[in-house]
Amino acid sequence: MEATDRTTNFNFSHEEEDPDSSALSASMSIDKLLPALLECFGIILCGYVAGRTNIITSTQAKGLGNFVSKFALPALLFKNMVLLDFGNVIWPFLWSILIAKVSVFFIVCVLTLIVASPESRYSKAGLFSIFATQSNDFALGYPIVEALYQSTYPEYLQYIYLVAPVSLMLLNPIGFAFCEIQKWKNQGNHQQRKLLIMGLVVLQVLKNPIVFMVVIGIIAHFALHQTIPPFMAEFVDGLANSFGGAALFYLGLSMVGQLGKLTRSTVVTLILLITAKLLLMPLICKDMVDLLDNSNTSALNHSSLSNYAFLYGVFPTAPSVAIYAVYYNAELEVVTSGMVISTFLSAPIMYVSAWLLTMRWMDPQLLMNSLQNVSFNISIVSLVALVWTITVMFLSKKFKRLPHMFTVNLFLAQFLTCFGMILWNFVVKEDNFIGQVLTFTLLCTSLYSTYVWPGLIALSLVLMKGFEDVKLSPGLFVIAGWGVPVLVTAVLLISGEKMPDTIDSAFFYGKPQMICTTVVVALGILLGGSSLVCLNRGSWAHNDQIQEENAAEDLVTEVEPENQTLFEPVTPSGDLNKVCLLCDCAPPQPMPDMIISTNMNNTPPLTGQCENSCKSTDCLLVQVEELQQVADRQVARHVLLCLLLTVSLLANLSSCLWLLLNPVPGRLYLELQFFCAVANYGQGFLSFALFGLDKHLIILPFKKRLYSLWYGKKQEEQTDLPDEIRMTCTQFTKYHKDQCFHDIVKKRRCGKRTMVDCFLGCELVEWLQQVGLAQDHGEAVLYGTRLEQGGVLQHIKQEHSFQDSRLYYRFMT
């Protein structure tokens, strides 16, 4: 990087000085890209609507899928394998795509084997690796490539047919082998030999009509001398031409209901897989072409081919991966949801990339101003979100506990980053060197701190998991989180040289700043990535929850030795005079007469005399709930925060390395720069989404207020309950309440000398699923909500509606 001219960073190509500049501007046709995208996604939308409205049922959709995969696509591959012109193929391009796919396959496979649990390690490694490398080349990729390159580089179209067999014949069999190994391990009887497993994998591959027709097509290519006999040409064309619309329509059908299968446990996996597919794959494809394609004497053709490799890497995952997941009955939720998300995320990426590549010339000063404006605008909105989030952390008093203490430091670093960018927007336009240096110091230090803190937070979670008896020293983490950025910034200020005529804070000190940023980002990725891997190898979140549950149970079941005989557990039919069976924290509400009538001959009325009434402020059960609210470490939220910020660090590292290794980075670098600006100064949105809406401080009180407004007027009109609520309550009270009482209701202390029969909301949810009253978690929560609305159960203090959580509830008399 020359210290004399900062604008070379945005001088993406020298086409304005090249007599062939008109050829570059015509190398891709952006005018045809938008209609192609509308065509593809319009047909996908039609298929989705047809599936959602049951015009075509899921059973009928399988028939269309079989036609596409076993007739239309094999015919299309056979036709193009026969007509393929190997003379115009640039083989380094194919080797580059091969190396890129193998690299991503290997990375995903190894990380999955390290992180995943032994019960499903091999099947996850096989399916996730296939997911990250098998693209939807023919249905979605080919129309887009045709729209972009048909008039300028028509030979690029045939590369799709050459690249596709890389996954089908080389990588997929490896993934199938892992799935067969997992299947063999789960069966228990290890009579099958390894040679037999390999035979099954080879048979599985050869049975695939796509692979079979690729082999037949290559043989026919040399036997028929690149011509299809006239007697079969029309037949093959008819099947091949039917592929495009049918495949896109089937893709829309296959998307129906897939996002509803998302769970909290699959979100983290999806983020990593989509990052590997839409970020890592295109970058590696482009870099491999830049390294290996030395045969092109024309810089224009070389640049066009590397850009084409980038676009190819962005193609979304093929629907056939979902078929593999169904066949092996593994990770179906992750694969199907990921297929939908990657398909719709790829569209804007492809369009923006193609738009940048087709721009003939861009004014460097205009680009720098645009990037500065984007960073400034995002910083303002993010600053407001961070003020809200930090206020919530202090009001909820979570900042006093680990790991929230470290998270507050991260939020403070993000706040200072946004504040520094807002100041930079005004200071950089003035000729005040001291003001620029001071503002740059604040901005650079706080930005580097946001790179370091995610790794430190992940490390603190690992230490709390592995060394529960060891008290962490927050001071050391705070010193590292702020000391390392201050040290690096000081080194940069001492050794660096200010770049002239620049308004971009990322290049204020030129190449030394790029090197420092690379070091800090690499440190953050290494620390955060290794900590997250160690964290995922255990079930710390689950163990932490168990410990909190045990502590809570100890609090409400502990009794004094001299009074122990007074608190022996009794059944509903036992002596009811020794214990207080109703907690007097809140007066119970009566049930409707119809529901009461079904309960007259069932559970005996819960009566008993309390020696000392349990006051609301002294109720041990309420204290336990409050203790759990404060003690909640929110491990899943912290893991998700660290993971997303680490992914954004990968983009920053790619940006730095891209610029350091390429004197003229190219037009696609601009897209990465804008993404990095959004990721750096928009972190406040992520922090607000995960920690700004505190459950106990904001969401539950808001729901409680709405609940009281909605149902408060109807409490005197309980007889007007909807039919579904009345039927649910009557059925439960008459047929299931006795068994439920026996299975989950326990006596817990609510005062010094009083006890109450109660249960946890999560216990009822689990019980409803076990006995078959609810098919899944969602139905169980809905069932419990209806019981609560019908007056069959209520919260011990009537402060919360029914939830799948560790809140205490009791059945009404």
Side-chain angles (χ1 to χ4, degrees), residues 479-584:
I479 292 174
W482 294 102
V484 172
V486 169
L487 179 63
V488 175
T489 305
V491 172
L492 178 60
L493 292 174
I494 294 173
S495 61
E497 181 180 355
K498 178 184 177 298
M499 298 289 291
D501 302 326
T502 179
I503 63 173
D504 189 356
S505 61
F507 302 98
F508 192 66
Y509 275 86
K511 190 172 183 178
Q513 184 178 353
M514 283 286 96
I515 297 175
C516 291
T517 303
T518 303
V519 172
V520 176
V521 169
L523 175 65
I525 293 175
L526 182 64
L527 181 60
S530 58
S531 299
L532 289 174
V533 169
C534 295
L535 194 62
N536 266 345
R537 288 188 62 83
S539 55
W540 182 71
H542 178 67
N543 293 336
D544 184 66
Q545 181 182 3
I546 292 177
Q547 291 175 3
E548 293 179 6
E549 293 174 5
N550 292 339
E553 288 296 323
D554 292 341
L555 180 61
V556 297
T557 57
E558 179 184 2
V559 294
E560 299 176 4
E562 62 271 14
N563 298 327
Q564 188 169 0
T565 56
L566 295 177
F567 304 108
E568 293 292 333
V570 296
T571 62
S573 60
D575 187 358
L576 302 177
N577 296 323
K578 293 183 178 180
V579 292
C580 171
L581 297 179
L582 284 180
C583 182
D584 294 331

Side-chain angles (χ1 to χ4, degrees), residues 362-672:
M362 293 177 286
D363 182 9
Q365 190 65 35
L366 178 62
L367 293 176
M368 284 192 292
N369 289 332
S370 299
L371 186 62
Q372 181 69 20
N373 290 334
V374 168
S375 302
F376 176 74
N377 294 331
I378 291 179
S379 297
I380 293 177
V381 184
S382 184
L383 191 71
V384 176
L386 284 167
V387 170
W388 174 281
T389 306
I390 294 174
T391 303
V392 167
M393 295 293 285
F394 276 88
L395 291 179
S396 62
K397 299 181 181 180
K398 290 183 177 180
F399 71 97
K400 298 180 180 180
R401 295 179 52 85
L402 297 176
H404 291 83
M405 186 182 298
F406 302 143
T407 313
V408 171
N409 281 272
L410 172 62
F411 296 160
L412 179 61
Q414 294 171 348
F415 174 86
L416 293 177
T417 300
C418 297
F419 182 72
M421 172 50 64
I422 295 173
L423 285 181
W424 178 262
N425 185 70
F426 298 103
V427 172
V428 74
K429 298 176 183 178
E430 301 177 0
D431 189 15
N432 185 351
F433 177 74
I434 297 179
Q436 290 180 359
V437 171
L438 291 177
T439 305
F440 173 80
T441 303
L442 171 65
L443 177 58
C444 187
T445 302
S446 56
L447 185 60
Y448 284 170
S449 185
T450 63
Y451 295 161
V452 175
W453 271 114
L456 292 176
I457 293 174
L459 178 62
S460 69
L461 294 176
V462 173
L463 294 177
M464 284 188 286
K465 165 196 170 185
F467 308 97
E468 296 171 359
D469 297 332
V470 178
K471 293 185 177 180
L472 293 179
S473 176
L476 295 178
F477 281 81
V478 173
I479 292 174
W482 294 102
V484 172
V486 169
L487 179 63
V488 175
T489 305
V491 172
L492 178 60
L493 292 174
I494 294 173
S495 61
E497 181 180 355
K498 178 184 177 298
M499 298 289 291
D501 302 326
T502 179
I503 63 173
D504 189 356
S505 61
F507 302 98
F508 192 66
Y509 275 86
K511 190 172 183 178
Q513 184 178 353
M514 283 286 96
I515 297 175
C516 291
T517 303
T518 303
V519 172
V520 176
V521 169
L523 175 65
I525 293 175
L526 182 64
L527 181 60
S530 58
S531 299
L532 289 174
V533 169
C534 295
L535 194 62
N536 266 345
R537 288 188 62 83
S539 55
W540 182 71
H542 178 67
N543 293 336
D544 184 66
Q545 181 182 3
I546 292 177
Q547 291 175 3
E548 293 179 6
E549 293 174 5
N550 292 339
E553 288 296 323
D554 292 341
L555 180 61
V556 297
T557 57
E558 179 184 2
V559 294
E560 299 176 4
E562 62 271 14
N563 298 327
Q564 188 169 0
T565 56
L566 295 177
F567 304 108
E568 293 292 333
V570 296
T571 62
S573 60
D575 187 358
L576 302 177
N577 296 323
K578 293 183 178 180
V579 292
C580 171
L581 297 179
L582 284 180
C583 182
D584 294 331
C585 294
Q589 299 293 331
M591 284 189 294
D593 295 337
M594 179 180 292
I595 299 177
I596 292 177
S597 63
T598 62
N599 192 37
M600 292 179 61
N601 298 324
N602 294 313
T603 306
L606 303 179
T607 58
Q609 300 296 324
C610 294
E611 296 181 9
N612 297 310
S613 297
C614 172
K615 303 299 182 183
S616 300
T617 56
D618 299 329
C619 181
L620 293 180
L621 298 179
V622 176
Q623 294 177 17
V624 168
E625 291 181 349
E626 294 175 351
L627 178 63
Q628 290 172 352
Q629 295 172 12
V630 177
D632 184 11
R633 292 175 173 172
Q634 296 181 308
V635 177
R637 293 173 185 262
H638 281 91
V639 170
L640 188 58
L641 176 68
C642 295
L643 177 64
L644 292 173
L645 293 180
T646 304
V647 170
S648 69
L649 290 183
L650 288 173
N652 280 281
L653 181 63
S654 301
S655 174
C656 295
L657 294 178
W658 194 326
L659 191 60
L660 289 174
L661 299 177
N662 295 277
V664 181
R667 295 164 181 265
L668 290 176
Y669 175 72
L670 178 61
E671 182 179 4
L672 190 59

Side-chain angles (χ1 to χ4, degrees), residues 7-29:
T7 60
T8 54
N9 292 316
F10 284 97
N11 198 7
F12 294 98
S13 61
H14 300 292
E15 67 267 20
E16 61 272 13
E17 302 174 1
D18 195 331
D20 295 330
S21 61
S22 59
L24 179 60
S25 62
S27 62
M28 298 173 64
S29 177

Side-chain angles (χ1 to χ4, degrees), residues 584-796:
D584 294 331
C585 294
Q589 299 293 331
M591 284 189 294
D593 295 337
M594 179 180 292
I595 299 177
I596 292 177
S597 63
T598 62
N599 192 37
M600 292 179 61
N601 298 324
N602 294 313
T603 306
L606 303 179
T607 58
Q609 300 296 324
C610 294
E611 296 181 9
N612 297 310
S613 297
C614 172
K615 303 299 182 183
S616 300
T617 56
D618 299 329
C619 181
L620 293 180
L621 298 179
V622 176
Q623 294 177 17
V624 168
E625 291 181 349
E626 294 175 351
L627 178 63
Q628 290 172 352
Q629 295 172 12
V630 177
D632 184 11
R633 292 175 173 172
Q634 296 181 308
V635 177
R637 293 173 185 262
H638 281 91
V639 170
L640 188 58
L641 176 68
C642 295
L643 177 64
L644 292 173
L645 293 180
T646 304
V647 170
S648 69
L649 290 183
L650 288 173
N652 280 281
L653 181 63
S654 301
S655 174
C656 295
L657 294 178
W658 194 326
L659 191 60
L660 289 174
L661 299 177
N662 295 277
V664 181
R667 295 164 181 265
L668 290 176
Y669 175 72
L670 178 61
E671 182 179 4
L672 190 59
Q673 275 293 92
F674 275 94
F675 178 81
C676 291
V678 174
N680 289 333
Y681 304 111
Q683 297 182 41
F685 297 107
L686 182 61
S687 301
F688 173 79
L690 293 177
F691 295 95
L693 299 175
D694 185 80
K695 178 180 179 181
H696 302 289
L697 186 66
I698 298 175
I699 296 179
L700 292 182
F702 182 72
K703 289 178 62 177
K704 178 186 175 183
R705 180 63 178 170
L706 286 180
Y707 182 82
S708 61
L709 290 175
W710 182 257
Y711 291 101
K713 298 179 181 179
K714 297 185 178 181
Q715 285 185 354
E716 299 179 357
E717 302 176 0
Q718 288 282 348
T719 56
D720 295 335
L721 288 174
D723 291 340
E724 61 272 12
I725 296 179
R726 183 179 298 279
M727 291 177 62
T728 300
C729 295
T730 302
Q731 176 200 45
F732 178 83
T733 305
K734 186 174 183 179
Y735 299 106
H736 306 291
K737 185 177 179 181
D738 284 346
Q739 187 62 42
C740 182
F741 190 97
H742 179 270
D743 291 342
I744 68 172
V745 173
K746 298 178 182 178
K747 296 190 183 304
R748 293 179 171 92
R749 289 179 55 186
C750 60
K752 186 175 181 180
R753 293 181 176 274
T754 55
M755 298 185 72
V756 62
D757 284 326
C758 60
F759 57 91
L760 298 174
C762 56
E763 293 175 342
L764 180 59
V765 169
E766 183 179 357
W767 184 86
L768 291 171
Q769 295 179 77
Q770 289 178 350
V771 300
L773 290 177
Q775 298 299 320
D776 53 29
H777 168 269
E779 288 188 10
V781 174
L782 179 60
Y783 196 103
T785 302
R786 289 177 176 176
L787 294 180
E788 190 263 341
Q789 293 174 354
V792 177
L793 59 87
Q794 72 172 17
H795 181 251
I796 56 169

